[in-house]
Amino acid sequence: QVQLVESGGGLVQAGGSLRLSCAASRRALTGYTMGWFRQAPGAVREFVAGISWSGGTTNLADSVKGRFTISRDRGNAKNTVYLQMNSLKPEDTAVYYCAAVSFGSVSNYPQEYDYWGQGTQVTVSS
């Protein structure tokens, strides 16, 4: 069982930056492909970014390419994944969730992931 906890959300002005973190409690994320999704009120959950269990493959939604990057901790702990968000826009406002799947491929589909965090709110003001 993997328990994921997101942090780093908040209120920021358009053009600003935030870095979200997703940490696993009690274990490392070694061997888990990770994804970031977001869900705005009244909208479906959408893929934002993903990184393979090896770290060798990343994928970003077209709407965030050039602004967001995903990375994972390569230190001894290896239990944190990050989403660096720059040049934020009001349309980035949503609850952001991290998700994990054991040795899976980076997928855009929420149903491909087995474990989810509770989410962290990101609000971008204009």
Side-chain angles (χ1 to χ4, degrees):
Q1 190 75 5
V2 178
Q3 292 183 320
L4 303 173
V5 179
E6 302 94 338
S7 62
L11 173 64
V12 64
Q13 288 188 329
S17 298
L18 285 172
R19 188 176 80 156
L20 304 184
S21 299
C22 173
S25 60
R26 301 197 304 270
R27 64 171 300 156
L29 288 173
T30 304
Y32 285 87
T33 287
M34 304 298 296
W36 283 99
F37 291 78
R38 65 187 181 187
Q39 189 166 16
V44 299
R45 191 167 296 190
E46 65 173 357
F47 174 80
V48 176
I51 186 165
S52 63
W53 58 270
S54 67
T57 300
T58 61
N59 190 23
L60 294 166
D62 288 343
S63 60
V64 305
K65 282 180 180 176
R67 300 188 298 124
F68 292 11
T69 56
I70 185 171
S71 61
R72 61 190 308 152
D73 191 357
R74 293 189 175 274
N76 290 333
K78 296 182 181 178
N79 66 348
T80 306
V81 175
Y82 305 97
L83 184 68
Q84 178 67 43
M85 306 187 296
N86 299 326
S87 302
L88 282 161
K89 304 176 180 180
E91 51 264 44
D92 294 318
T93 296
V95 177
Y96 283 70
Y97 299 89
C98 70
V101 59
S102 177
F103 291 107
S105 300
V106 177
S107 173
N108 294 12
Y109 300 102
Q111 60 266 32
E112 297 294 326
Y113 294 81
D114 295 323
Y115 305 101
W116 291 83
Q118 293 300 306
T120 185
Q121 177 71 46
V122 171
T123 303
V124 184
S125 63
S126 58

